[in-house]
Each structure stands twice: as C-alpha cells, then as structure tokens.
C-alpha cells in the first residue's frame, strides 16, 4: 500500500492521527509526518484516515498501482 498526503492541502486538523495512530504524527503545530508505505495490515486504519481528513489531502492505493497512472 502507498500513501500520499498533499501537504499543500493539509491544514493540520490531525484527524488522521486519531484514525491511524502510529502512521501519522505532527511535529510542531503543523508539520505532518507520515508512513508512505504502511504494510497491508494497516489498510483499515489508512482507509479510516483517508475518510477522516476534512480537506481530502490523503490518498491511499495498492502497491501495484501508481497514482495518476493511465490504463
């Protein structure tokens, strides 16, 4: 699984921290740090984080898919 956070869109509401603790963290008040390649066991948490983000800054997709790849 791959995770991408649009840091320009992120407003540091920190809802992802509650949805997927251990995969997202805030350093300071606004600097989001995240795990871009969580294992498949974290899929449920990552999906909750995607849906919890009020500004839709988080995207998660399977390892075998590249974001924006044309079919």
């Amino acid at each position: 699984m791959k995770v991408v956070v649009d840091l320009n869109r992120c407003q540091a509401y920190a809802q992802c921290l509650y949805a997927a603790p251990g995969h997202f963290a805030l350093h300071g008040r606004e600097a989001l740090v995240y795990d871009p390649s969580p294992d498949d066991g974290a899929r449920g948490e990552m999906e909750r984080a995607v849906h919890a983000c009020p500004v839709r800054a988080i995207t998660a997709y399977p390892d075998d898919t590249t974001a924006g790849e044309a079919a």
Side-chain angles (χ1 to χ4, degrees):
M1 162 173 263
K2 298 291 181 190
V3 175
V4 176
V5 178
D6 181 342
L7 297 174
N8 291 316
R9 180 176 275 190
C10 177
Q11 297 294 307
Y13 288 111
Q15 297 305 302
C16 56
L17 277 68
Y18 301 110
H23 299 286
F24 294 90
L26 282 178
H27 285 250
R29 292 185 177 181
E30 297 180 0
L32 181 70
V33 178
Y34 66 97
D35 180 2
S37 299
D39 61 36
D40 284 337
R43 183 175 304 275
E45 287 180 318
M46 299 313 285
E47 288 175 359
R48 283 191 296 275
V50 168
H51 294 293
C53 181
V55 295
R56 301 293 180 240
I58 305 168
T59 304
Y61 51 93
D63 278 334
D64 61 343
T65 305
T66 302
E69 182 178 284

